[in-house]
């Protein structure tokens, strides 16, 4: 069994992972007040509408912060370190974390010091395959 | 409420890397010591409160100690954020008259036990970690590092600025024989320590400890009969803030603000005391950036000024027994025993005439703050 902490979705999050399996990044949006919300929620926290829907996002984002986890890390990540985890703000306004990858979706094996980015750097969605699990990831715009 | 609560007993099971015993036993021995310290016995206790992360339930604690009648009990979540709220529940029980004598405690076999973040997620997708752990954000230090980077870039923090906090706390610990870390920590050692999650180094992180601390609260009136130096509960607050998550402080607005900001707002709303009135502070210090951010968010300095203030040494002494960084990490309950000692005048690093002491819990989760004082309000 893979040590990778693959998600075990419940009803609220299942549509997210189903879309991810098709390499589509979706985020919940309220049909009533049009607010986006992340992470997954049962109802709209802005207006109370019970009918949140999953909508595709642009895949364009801006770096807000980042870190480089170093050992000791979860066993699944031991062979991957060092890598950079970005906090990005999607153009739709929600923030999420994801790994820094190259244009081909390859995990950049770096502690971040040799990669040109900073807070405010624009990034674009790429897809990375981790043991058969697609992961929404981010590459620096050129 | 007319009734006021006071802490009249503190007790501990020695802090170590491996206790060789169970959380139940450590908690029980700490509780007995706290009751002896208060001049009370288990038969006097009628309220018991715990952390949800405590393996021993209130009823197990009560039956183990021979507490016959528990009239008020409960458990508070959020680990290191929940310790002040846990003690606040105890104070609420006393002040409301639900209970007369309340026991609360925290016991951990952490150093020799498993790390919670090593466990595979078993919850549904409403578990926030499902949307962080897959990307490698699994440990509290990973999320804290992302927050620290935000503040460091915004306010031009240097590595030495965080190092100064670790060294200051270590120096306090070295005067406290109970503290686990007794060796000197130099800036060279700090800067040379390995990265755990950039920009946080090994010495930016708290200890992993076994041990226990117990507290006994009762009414101010009864406290005066029990001992000459009760630590009166002057004010307390709990808060989450909007879009509350555990440790990951970036889903809500404004970006960079922690849930501690809301606890600070609530605390100062509930007392006429102001930061300038606080003689000593026991900040929750699982990671050095939490101390710096708390100084700012509790209003001890202006925005972006904390590192300058700390470098100049123009601040109330903090974490005077070594805190989570250098005394022991028990989700921060040892911050309470030190706050009580400061009010009693019995700290190993005593602040002269300490009248008001502030205690906080983890500012990156639902959290709280309390002021203990040498006189009733
Ligand atoms: Zn809505």
């Amino acid at each position: 069994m893979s040590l990778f902490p693959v998600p075990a979705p419940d009803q609220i999050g299942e549509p997210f992972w189903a879309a991810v399996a098709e390499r589509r990044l979706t985020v919940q949006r309220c049909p009533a007040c049009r607010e986006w919300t992340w992470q997954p929620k049962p109802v709209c926290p802005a207006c109370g509408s019970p009918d949140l829907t999953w909508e595709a996002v642009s895949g364009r984002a801006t770096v807000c912060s980042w870190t480089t986890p170093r050992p000791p890390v979860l066993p699944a990540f031991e062979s991957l370190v060092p890598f950079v985890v970005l906090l990005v703000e999607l153009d739709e306004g929600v923030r999420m974390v994801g790994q820094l990858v190259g244009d081909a979706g390859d995990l950049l094996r770096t502690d971040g010091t040799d990669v040109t980015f900073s807070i405010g750097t624009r990034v674009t969605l790429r897809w990375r395959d981790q043991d058969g699990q697609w992961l929404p990831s981010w590459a620096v715009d050129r | 409420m007319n009734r006021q609560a006071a802490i009249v007993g503190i007790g501990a099971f020695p802090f170590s890397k491996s206790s060789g015993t169970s959380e139940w036993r450590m908690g029980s021995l700490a509780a007995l010591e706290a009751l002896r310290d208060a001049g009370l016995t288990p038969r006097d206790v009628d309220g018991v409160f715990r952390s949800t992360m405590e393996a021993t339930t209130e009823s197990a604690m009560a039956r183990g100690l021979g507490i016959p009648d528990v009239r008020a009990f409960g458990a508070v979540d959020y680990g290191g954020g929940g310790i002040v709220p846990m003690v606040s529940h105890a104070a609420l029980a006393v002040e409301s008259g639900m209970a007369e004598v309340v026991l609360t405690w925290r016991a951990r076999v952490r150093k020799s036990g498993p790390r919670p973040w090593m466990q595979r997620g078993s919850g549904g997708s409403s578990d926030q970690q499902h949307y962080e752990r897959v990307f490698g954000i699994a440990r509290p230090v990973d999320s804290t590092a992302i927050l620290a980077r935000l503040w460091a870039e915004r306010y031009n923090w240097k590595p030495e600025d965080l190092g100064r906090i670790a060294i200051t706390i270590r120096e306090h610990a070295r005067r406290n024989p109970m503290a686990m870390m007794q060796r000197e920590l130099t800036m060279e050692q700090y800067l040379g320590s390995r990265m755990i999650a950039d920009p946080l180094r090994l010495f930016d992180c708290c200890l992993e400890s076994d041990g226990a601390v117990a507290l006994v609260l009762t009414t101010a009136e009864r406290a005066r009969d029990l001992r000459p130096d009760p630590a009166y509960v002057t004010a307390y607050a709990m808060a989450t803030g909007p879009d509350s998550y555990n440790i990951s402080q970036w889903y809500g607005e404004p970006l960079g603000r922690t849930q501690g900001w809301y606890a600070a707002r609530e605390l100062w709303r509930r007392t006429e005391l102001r930061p300038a009135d606080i003689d000593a502070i026991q900040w929750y210090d699982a990671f050095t950036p939490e101390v710096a951010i708390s100084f700012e968010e509790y209003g001890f300095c202006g925005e972006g000024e904390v590192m300058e203030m700390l470098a100049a040494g123009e601040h109330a002494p903090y974490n005077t027994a070594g805190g989570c960084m250098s005394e022991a990490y028990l989700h921060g309950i040892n911050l309470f025993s030190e706050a009580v000692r400061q009010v009693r005048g019995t700290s190993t690093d005593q602040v002269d005439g300490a009248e008001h002491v502030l205690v906080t819990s983890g500012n990156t989760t639902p959290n709280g703050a309390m002021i203990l004082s040498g006189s009733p309000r």
Side-chain angles (χ1 to χ4, degrees):
Chain A
M1 188 176 69
S2 167
L3 289 169
F4 198 70
V6 288
D10 67 2
Q11 270 192 330
I12 294 173
E14 197 281 332
F16 172 80
W17 295 109
V20 161
E22 298 169 358
R23 281 177 283 171
R24 287 187 299 112
L25 180 59
T26 59
V27 170
Q28 280 177 308
R29 192 175 193 187
C30 177
C33 74
R34 306 304 290 151
E35 285 290 316
W36 298 88
T37 189
W38 179 253
Q39 298 180 11
K41 296 179 184 70
V43 299
C44 174
C47 76
S49 165
D51 301 315
L52 287 175
T53 57
W54 289 89
E55 287 193 23
V57 293
S58 63
R60 307 273 294 128
T62 303
V63 173
C64 296
S65 188
W66 74 94
T67 190
T68 310
R70 311 293 184 106
V73 296
L74 287 174
F77 294 96
E78 275 169 4
S79 63
L80 301 180
V81 293
F83 58 89
V84 172
V85 183
L86 300 173
L87 170 65
V88 301
E89 182 168 309
L90 307 189
D91 285 3
E92 287 76 10
V94 297
R95 296 185 199 103
M96 61 175 63
V97 288
Q99 290 161 334
L100 176 69
V101 296
D103 285 333
D106 47 311
L107 185 67
L108 292 187
R109 307 293 298 277
T110 173
D111 64 3
T113 52
D114 57 344
V115 179
T116 309
F117 69 91
S118 61
I119 289 175
T121 295
R122 296 284 291 164
V123 292
T124 297
L125 177 67
R126 295 282 186 271
W127 290 94
R128 189 172 89 76
D129 180 354
Q130 171 73 55
D131 300 348
Q133 170 71 51
W134 288 111
L135 293 176
S137 307
W138 303 93
V140 172
D141 288 1
R142 302 203 179 276
Chain B
M1 277 179 275
N2 289 328
R3 278 162 65 113
Q4 183 179 5
I7 300 180
V8 285
I10 55 176
F13 185 94
F15 314 137
S16 70
K17 289 182 176 177
S18 182
S19 60
T21 188
S22 68
E23 290 168 345
W24 191 4
R25 181 171 161 79
M26 284 194 294
S28 300
L29 292 173
L32 288 171
E33 185 179 306
L35 286 164
R36 273 196 304 275
D37 184 50
L40 296 167
T41 74
R43 306 226 158 244
D44 296 306
V45 176
D46 60 354
V48 185
F49 288 84
R50 70 169 167 119
S51 161
T52 59
M53 295 189 184
E54 188 69 40
T56 309
T57 61
E58 304 93 296
S59 76
M61 189 55 122
R63 73 172 174 271
L65 292 175
I67 298 169
D69 282 308
V70 176
R71 298 186 180 90
F73 59 87
V76 180
D77 205 337
Y78 315 115
I83 293 298
V84 173
M86 178 180 86
V87 179
S88 299
H89 279 70
L92 276 167
V94 167
E95 291 181 355
S96 69
M98 286 288 289
E100 286 291 316
V101 175
V102 179
L103 169 68
T104 188
W105 83 101
R106 187 80 184 91
R108 301 189 91 202
V109 183
R110 183 68 183 273
K111 182 69 187 181
S112 55
R115 307 284 199 281
W117 53 264
M118 288 293 284
Q119 291 153 18
R120 280 171 65 96
S122 56
S125 71
S126 51
D127 174 359
Q128 86 175 68
Q129 291 217 340
H130 283 200
Y131 303 91
E132 298 173 356
R133 193 173 352 213
V134 286
F135 303 109
I137 298 293
R139 306 165 300 178
V141 68
D142 298 322
S143 295
T144 306
I146 287 174
L147 175 71
R149 172 93 60 191
L150 266 170
W151 280 68
E153 297 270 326
R154 193 179 287 175
Y155 300 118
N156 198 26
W157 292 357
K158 300 282 182 280
E160 291 82 358
D161 291 326
L162 292 175
R164 184 176 295 111
I165 293 169
I167 291 166
T168 298
I169 294 173
R170 177 64 61 85
E171 284 304 303
H172 290 303
R174 295 179 71 206
R175 297 183 194 106
N176 168 17
M178 281 184 67
M180 288 177 66
M181 300 303 284
Q182 299 286 342
R183 284 191 309 276
E184 183 184 13
L185 175 63
T186 65
M187 187 61 82
E188 194 181 1
Q189 287 168 337
Y190 169 84
L191 293 172
S193 67
R194 63 192 169 88
M195 284 288 181
I196 302 295
D198 308 45
L200 300 182
R201 294 168 164 79
L202 178 66
F203 290 122
D204 289 305
C205 304
C206 65
L207 303 166
E208 291 292 357
S209 320
D210 287 13
V213 165
L215 309 170
V216 175
L217 290 83
T218 188
T219 62
E221 194 178 14
R222 187 155 179 196
R224 275 190 293 277
D225 295 336
L226 289 170
R227 56 182 310 136
D229 53 5
Y232 295 96
V233 176
T234 295
Y236 52 98
M238 301 180 229
T240 66
D243 238 331
S244 164
Y245 286 82
N246 286 342
I247 309 185
S248 302
Q249 299 294 289
W250 51 71
Y251 296 103
E253 303 294 343
L255 180 60
R257 178 181 287 178
T258 77
Q259 297 175 68
W261 187 94
Y262 298 92
R265 183 189 65 184
E266 289 304 301
L267 181 74
W268 300 128
R269 206 168 65 75
R270 289 165 188 276
T271 178
E272 289 175 0
L273 296 174
R274 288 294 166 260
D277 300 314
I278 301 300
D279 301 303
I281 309 164
Q282 310 303 328
W283 294 125
Y284 181 82
D285 59 336
F287 304 103
T288 52
E290 294 171 321
V291 171
I293 291 169
S294 295
F295 264 116
E296 287 214 15
E297 293 194 330
Y298 278 79
F300 284 81
C301 60
E303 184 187 345
E305 294 174 358
V306 62
M307 294 311 189
E308 204 178 320
M309 180 183 74
L310 296 181
E314 294 162 352
H315 56 84
Y318 62 93
N319 301 32
T320 44
C324 304
M325 305 279 306
S326 283
E327 186 186 36
Y329 185 63
L330 301 170
H331 273 153
I333 194 170
N334 49 318
L335 302 171
F336 267 101
S337 18
E338 172 60 7
V340 169
R341 287 191 296 261
Q342 284 289 349
V343 168
R344 291 179 179 178
T346 61
S347 169
T348 50
D349 210 347
Q350 182 64 39
V351 176
D352 285 343
E355 170 66 14
H356 302 296
V357 181
L358 170 63
V359 188
T360 67
S361 45
N363 57 343
T364 58
T365 72
N367 71 126
M370 183 177 281
I371 296 171
L372 299 176
S373 305
S375 312
R377 58 168 182 249

